[in-house]
Amino acid sequence: MEHFQQLSTEQKRAVSVVRGPVLCLAGPGSGKTFTLVRRLRFLIEKAGVPPETILVATYSKAAALSMRQRFFTEMGRNVPVTFGTLHAVCYHILKERYVIRENNLLSDREKRKILQSVLQANMVYREEAAEELLECVSLRKNGRPVEEIPLPAGMGAAEFEHLYRTYRETSRRAGRLDFDDMALWCLELLEREPAVLKNWQARFTYFLIDEFQDCNLIQYEVAKKLACPRDNLFAVGDDDQSIYGFRGASPGVMERFIRDFPGAEVICMGGNYRSRPEIVKAAGSVIAENQDRMEKRLFAAGGVGALAGVPPVEILCFRDQREQFSYLGDKLRKLREQMPYEEMAVICRTNRELRALHPFLRERDIPCRIAGNGGKPYACFAVRDVLDYLRLAEGARDRECFLRVLNRPERHIKREWLWDEKIDLEDLERELRGAGEGRAAESVRSLMGQLARMRDMSPSLAIRFVRGAVGYEKWLRGRAGEEGQLYEEWKEELDCLQQSARNFEGIGAFLAYKEQEKERPEGESGKRSTGGVSLLTMHASKGLEFTYVCLPGLNEKKGASQKGPADMPKAREEEERRLFYVGMTRAKKALELLYLTGTKERPRQPSRFLRPLLASKGDPL
């Protein structure tokens, strides 16, 4: 954006408002970072604000570092403006008051153990309950009302609240906190100790919050308290790009800002300097279907050129995934004549889709890299479970490994029977028989026999044995319940694992390979690569831009959008539409949207989010 010498009218206003609360609605490609840096320069050079009294907070560490670098380029490295994430701000406030160190932070494993102990003590323990409840606890800590939290089946709000409070008290007594506790502990501290609040209010007189739509209500309350009483709070974001509902974020935080600061200046930067007009129009028609959004005028503001022979927006359909991937491979090769692969991106809803596409492109010698955790080999719990079965077959007896598959399928073995860090199954069987637990003892004997049989199998056959003869896949189907598509996704993950195991003769060699794969940097599946087509999820694509973008597999009953239009909650549907909008608006010159038609026997329906675009083409829905 540096080549734009002139600020737009809206950008000028966002830069020059000096005092009081400001809400800046910044659409995709509107020059948000450019405007923020120019605002900092204006405050320091024109308004005379001491730079050490300015705090710039954003959602992610990467965004904070990027913003700081842009500011250094503009102003030099000796100007002491403070940049950081909202969590880092809360951490420093807590650290100064409580002398908190990194070893006070709970790992995911430690959180799970604490919650398991709470569940056992309250006599409501179930094998999978801890995993489910950790997500619920996270939402509760991030300000989500309990009535909006998807609790485990059979658990009421009062029971959850009791477990939630007990979990928090247990962690606090141990002097431990997790990532979600940062803002919550900080808010409680500022409310409880006015002297601490006044100290931090005196340090910073100007607050700028980037990616404001990603704030949860607790983080927002912390920022509001720190900005008081001057209320020099500049919040910039886009409610149409609020995509972290699973972390407690909500587009409603922007409406909340207007209610809390009725005299706030509201500035809309709707000009898109990134994308072709056709892309801006198409994305705008999609997001306009959401009801829970602030009205804004979105328009193409820059002279972005076109690609030769490539339509700015194209919607294509294919019979099946292989046909779709073949087209995509050919298209990427052809586009290479006009741009480097680094300027191309394929954006999917789920990591599973990325892992299916990645080997297909590699086989065609198209360099590509999976961004985020899409390339991680243990992204799905079912894959981790089956790999643990293979480890046990190879002789592993770690308690943690055994506990993962303890009752998957049900073996009637209680966790409290397993105390040692190393589990000897023969000793366990004898102890269970001596204690009169014959059914559990028989389960252990059966498991020993299964593991012994697996030892002489190839890894691919062993995985097949676990899925079928051991009964793991039947257990998976039961866990999915009525969510048939969820079961199909887990099954596809295991299909991929079994396919990858066919290249190995022994289980040990396959496990060693998977461990090496686990240790590689994210997104790499071989030698380190700095280039190639970017393969991203919609979440991981946020904040990025590419000359060409393709969104494949845009069908109903896919990814997180598993339910039909009638039974998906409105809030969930609107967040899914915002995700789709984020993916679309990463494109600068060309955007392709692909979906499958399926066969006559098994037809597929295009995503509901394509409807306004298909309707404008006159295509049947």
Side-chain angles (χ1 to χ4, degrees):
M1 292 295 300
E2 283 80 356
H3 61 283
F4 290 102
Q5 298 300 316
Q6 298 296 321
L7 294 167
S8 69
T9 302
E10 294 79 12
Q11 288 173 336
K12 287 178 181 176
R13 188 60 186 154
V15 164
S16 60
V17 176
V18 175
R19 292 182 179 83
V22 178
L23 179 63
C24 183
L25 300 174
S30 61
K32 171 175 63 69
T33 303
F34 171 72
T35 302
L36 272 170
V37 171
R38 287 301 176 92
R39 174 173 174 79
L40 290 172
R41 183 166 193 165
F42 185 91
L43 290 175
I44 295 166
E45 294 184 345
K46 301 296 184 182
V49 177
E52 63 272 14
T53 68
I54 301 174
L55 172 62
V56 183
T58 190
Y59 184 72
S60 70
K61 185 176 181 179
L65 291 173
S66 175
M67 180 81 69
R68 185 175 66 175
Q69 186 56 50
R70 291 281 291 273
F71 177 75
F72 285 163
T73 301
E74 181 89 10
M75 297 286 290
R77 292 181 173 271
N78 297 321
V79 184
V81 171
T82 300
F83 294 85
T85 64
L86 290 161
H87 271 93
V89 172
C90 294
Y91 175 70
H92 283 289
I93 293 174
L94 292 171
K95 184 179 179 182
E96 188 172 290
R97 175 63 180 82
Y98 295 125
V99 197
I100 289 176
R101 298 182 176 87
E102 287 190 12
N103 59 8
N104 293 105
L105 302 179
L106 288 164
S107 67
D108 288 342
R109 178 185 175 188
E110 290 171 323
K111 287 192 295 183
R112 196 177 299 111
K113 288 183 71 173
I114 291 175
L115 189 52
Q116 285 169 351
S117 69
V118 170
L119 289 168
Q120 288 175 321
N122 285 271
M123 306 297 289
V124 291
Y125 182 78
R126 289 190 294 118
E127 170 77 15
E128 59 274 11
E131 206 72 50
E132 293 179 68
L133 279 172
L134 277 178
E135 297 180 12
C136 299
V137 167
S138 177
L139 287 172
R140 184 71 177 85
K141 288 183 179 183
N142 286 315
R144 184 71 62 86
V146 66
E147 57 270 15
E148 296 180 11
I149 297 175
L151 301 177
M155 181 172 289
E159 183 183 15
F160 170 74
E161 279 293 296
H162 172 70
L163 293 171
Y164 168 73
R165 287 194 301 271
T166 306
Y167 171 77
R168 286 203 66 202
E169 289 166 4
T170 304
S171 303
R172 190 186 291 270
R173 282 198 302 270
R176 310 296 298 281
L177 74 165
D178 61 31
F179 193 71
D180 295 316
D181 281 319
M182 296 289 189
L184 187 56
W185 279 33
C186 184
L187 179 61
E188 291 171 348
L189 170 64
L190 297 178
E191 290 175 339
R192 189 173 61 250
E193 301 192 25
V196 174
L197 175 60
K198 287 181 180 179
N199 174 38
W200 284 91
Q201 287 172 336
R203 293 190 196 188
F204 297 104
T205 59
Y206 280 81
F207 291 83
L208 287 78
I209 301 181
D210 187 21
E211 303 292 358
F212 184 55
Q213 77 281 345
D214 294 333
C215 279
N216 60 51
L217 291 177
I218 302 298
Q219 293 167 333
Y220 167 61
E221 288 297 328
V222 170
K224 192 171 67 171
K225 283 188 175 297
L226 294 176
C228 186
R230 303 176 189 86
D231 292 340
N232 292 327
L233 182 58
F234 183 92
V236 57
D238 182 7
D239 58 323
D240 289 333
Q241 296 185 70
S242 178
I243 58 174
Y244 292 111
F246 62 93
R247 294 177 184 166
S250 166
V253 72
M254 307 190 86
E255 293 280 4
R256 178 78 170 264
F257 185 99
I258 294 174
R259 290 199 304 270
D260 290 346
F261 300 101
E265 176 120 15
V266 180
I267 302 166
C268 180
M269 299 197 320
N272 186 322
Y273 295 91
R274 171 191 300 155
S275 305
R276 294 275 302 160
E278 297 88 346
I279 296 172
V280 175
K281 182 180 178 182
S285 69
V286 168
I287 200 62
E289 301 242 316
N290 273 6
Q291 298 174 18
D292 185 15
R293 65 186 293 262
M294 302 181 74
E295 286 298 320
K296 56 185 77 70
R297 188 172 75 92
L298 303 171
F299 59 95
V304 181
L307 289 175
V310 182
V313 179
E314 192 161 25
I315 305 174
L316 300 171
C317 59
F318 302 89
R319 185 179 61 179
D320 55 35
Q321 188 180 75
R322 186 165 190 84
E323 186 179 281
Q324 175 184 243
F325 285 177
S326 293
Y327 165 81
L328 185 53
D330 292 341
K331 186 59 176 268
L332 294 172
R333 282 181 173 279
K334 187 175 181 180
L335 286 172
R336 183 64 181 84
E337 299 171 4
Q338 297 192 55
M339 71 186 83
Y341 281 126
E342 289 81 1
E343 282 296 312
M344 308 177 205
V346 181
I347 302 175
C348 298
R349 175 62 182 86
T350 66
N351 286 319
R352 178 180 56 82
E353 295 167 282
L354 295 179
R355 288 194 292 274
L357 173 61
H358 190 219
F360 189 94
L361 296 181
R362 276 196 312 167
E363 288 174 6
R364 284 151 185 77
D365 294 322
I366 296 174
C368 53
R369 54 194 180 88
I370 300 181
N373 71 348
K376 289 295 185 181
Y378 304 146
C380 173
F381 79 92
V383 171
R384 295 196 299 269
D385 287 353
V386 171
L387 288 175
D388 275 339
Y389 267 110
L390 297 187
R391 291 189 186 93
L392 291 171
E394 277 290 284
R397 289 297 177 264
D398 300 81
R399 180 174 183 270
E400 183 179 359
C401 183
F402 186 60
L403 287 178
R404 277 199 63 84
V405 299
L406 179 69
N407 288 305
R408 300 182 178 188
E410 178 63 53
R411 294 190 175 91
H412 313 287
I413 304 172
K414 298 179 182 179
R415 298 172 74 97
E416 55 262 36
W417 292 341
L418 311 174
W419 293 103
D420 297 330
E421 287 304 310
K422 295 291 182 181
I423 305 299
D424 186 303
L425 294 179
E426 292 183 354
D427 287 348
L428 178 61
E429 183 198 358
R430 283 194 295 271
E431 290 172 9
L432 290 174
R433 290 195 187 282
E437 299 288 348
R439 184 169 62 168
E442 282 301 317
S443 293
V444 173
R445 173 174 284 277
S446 175
L447 177 60
M448 285 192 291
Q450 291 166 344
L451 295 177
R453 290 182 62 186
M454 288 170 61
R455 236 167 259 139
D456 297 324
M457 296 180 183
S458 69
S460 178
L461 184 59
I463 292 171
R464 182 178 175 183
F465 181 79
V466 171
R467 295 173 69 176
V470 174
Y472 183 77
E473 209 155 284
K474 182 179 180 181
W475 175 84
L476 268 187
R477 193 181 293 111
R479 176 168 179 174
E482 296 180 2
E483 296 283 358
Q485 184 65 23
L486 194 58
Y487 167 70
E488 288 299 323
E489 289 184 10
W490 294 339
K491 185 173 177 291
E492 285 182 29
E493 291 277 8
L494 294 179
D495 287 342
C496 290
L497 181 70
Q498 190 170 327
Q499 179 69 30
S500 67
R502 288 179 180 173
N503 299 320
F504 298 84
E505 293 185 5
I507 292 176
F510 178 62
L511 290 173
Y513 169 76
K514 299 306 285 185
E515 283 301 312
Q516 291 172 6
E517 191 179 32
K518 182 181 178 183
E519 295 302 319
R520 291 183 187 125
E522 288 186 359
E524 295 184 7
S525 57
K527 294 182 180 179
R528 186 171 181 81
S529 172
T530 56
V533 179
S534 291
L535 308 182
L536 312 106
T537 63
M538 293 176 181
H539 279 106
S541 73
K542 191 164 175 286
L544 303 177
E545 58 181 44
F546 304 89
T547 301
Y548 164 84
V549 167
C550 177
L551 275 62
L554 298 173
N555 286 86
E556 284 294 289
K557 298 183 181 296
K558 200 167 178 64
S561 305
Q562 293 161 14
K563 298 182 178 180
D567 52 11
M568 180 186 288
K570 173 178 170 289
R572 175 73 173 278
E573 178 175 337
E574 295 210 342
E575 178 160 326
E576 289 292 328
R577 186 175 285 108
R578 291 194 293 270
L579 263 174
F580 182 44
Y581 175 72
V582 166
M584 293 178 72
T585 54
R586 301 310 94 196
K588 294 193 286 187
K589 296 186 177 183
L591 171 67
E592 287 196 320
L593 308 169
L594 315 181
Y595 68 93
L596 307 180
T597 59
T599 62
K600 184 178 180 180
E601 294 75 21
R602 298 185 64 183
R604 301 287 302 274
Q605 295 298 316
S607 167
R608 72 196 74 176
F609 307 137
L610 286 174
R611 287 175 183 169
L613 305 178
L614 291 172
S616 67
K617 286 181 58 181
D619 289 355
L621 299 181

